[in-house]
Amino acid sequence: MSRYWLLKSEPGVFSIDDLQAAPNQTTSWEGVRNYQARNFLRDGMQVGDRAFFYHSNATPPGIVGVVEIVRAGYPDHTAFDPASRYYDPKSDPAHPTWFMVDVRLVQKFPRIISLDELKRTPGLENMLVIRRGMRLSVQPVTETEWQIVLGLVGSADRPV
DNA sequence: GCCAACGTTGGC
DNA sequence: GCCAACGTTGGC
């Protein structure tokens, strides 16, 4: 089972700065409404696993930091709340459809590792996030990919 | 704002 | 179970 993940968020909805400002720099990762992503949240992630925080629909899109899973999958209660933007009447508290985890900020990177840079980095050719049309908002990351990306953080972006 | 890619819905 | 229509995602 993967120990490393990537979590997408639109910074206009919830950014890494929002996480940094949150109590204990911790938040529930709510609102995932895709079955494949749900399965990773419910069955894959374990306490202590780490994940890249990725800004989608951003300028530029890219990885902006690292979070740690501090609570494993549990029912996403926003699905039960008619006032929530994530409300889903098909999810029943007795048999929840949707799950979430809790994450805590580990590090905000000193610079964004842009999608473009990821695409240009040797060894990341198979990373899911760079695939065209890849919409999955919770993705496994291999240990090799994890280490390569961390290695980019302390260096300058390479010329194209 | 555009639109390709993808997931979901629902008629049959 | 098929698949067209529709809605969403997300890079550009």
Side-chain angles (χ1 to χ4, degrees):
Chain A
M1 187 55 67
S2 183
R3 311 250 62 205
Y4 300 105
W5 308 91
L6 180 145
L7 295 168
K8 289 184 190 173
S9 183
E10 299 188 27
V13 177
F14 188 82
S15 72
I16 195 162
D17 291 331
D18 294 326
L19 178 57
Q20 196 162 38
N24 300 318
Q25 300 190 330
T26 301
T27 191
S28 55
W29 202 262
E30 64 193 35
V32 172
R33 296 293 179 267
N34 168 281
Y35 286 99
Q36 198 178 350
R38 184 281 310 271
N39 293 346
F40 287 134
L41 294 175
R42 187 188 60 186
D43 309 325
M45 287 184 174
Q46 299 178 29
V47 171
D49 287 1
R50 297 212 161 185
F52 289 131
F53 194 121
Y54 179 90
H55 279 174
S56 61
N57 258 326
T59 310
I63 295 172
V64 292
V66 170
V67 300
E68 180 175 350
I69 310 305
V70 294
R71 183 176 175 184
Y74 63 105
D76 182 343
H77 51 76
T78 65
F80 311 139
D81 176 7
S84 170
R85 62 178 299 201
Y86 301 121
Y87 178 57
D88 182 356
K90 296 191 304 301
S91 187
D92 161 10
H95 300 280
T97 305
W98 306 115
F99 284 72
M100 58 189 181
V101 297
D102 288 354
V103 304
R104 182 172 58 217
L105 181 65
V106 172
Q107 180 194 9
K108 179 183 172 181
F109 290 161
R111 67 184 187 90
I112 184 169
I113 309 300
S114 71
L115 177 61
D116 185 61
E117 182 173 358
L118 296 173
K119 287 177 176 173
R120 286 187 277 112
T121 298
L124 299 183
E125 294 83 359
N126 295 319
M127 198 171 181
L128 292 176
V129 73
I130 72 172
R131 283 197 201 159
R132 198 160 128 276
M134 170 50 70
R135 302 184 345 190
L136 194 59
S137 64
V138 180
Q139 304 176 2
V141 171
T142 70
E143 178 158 17
T144 301
E145 291 161 351
W146 182 267
Q147 297 299 344
I148 290 173
V149 172
L150 287 185
L152 295 171
V153 175
S155 63
D157 191 0
R158 303 172 335 128
V160 178

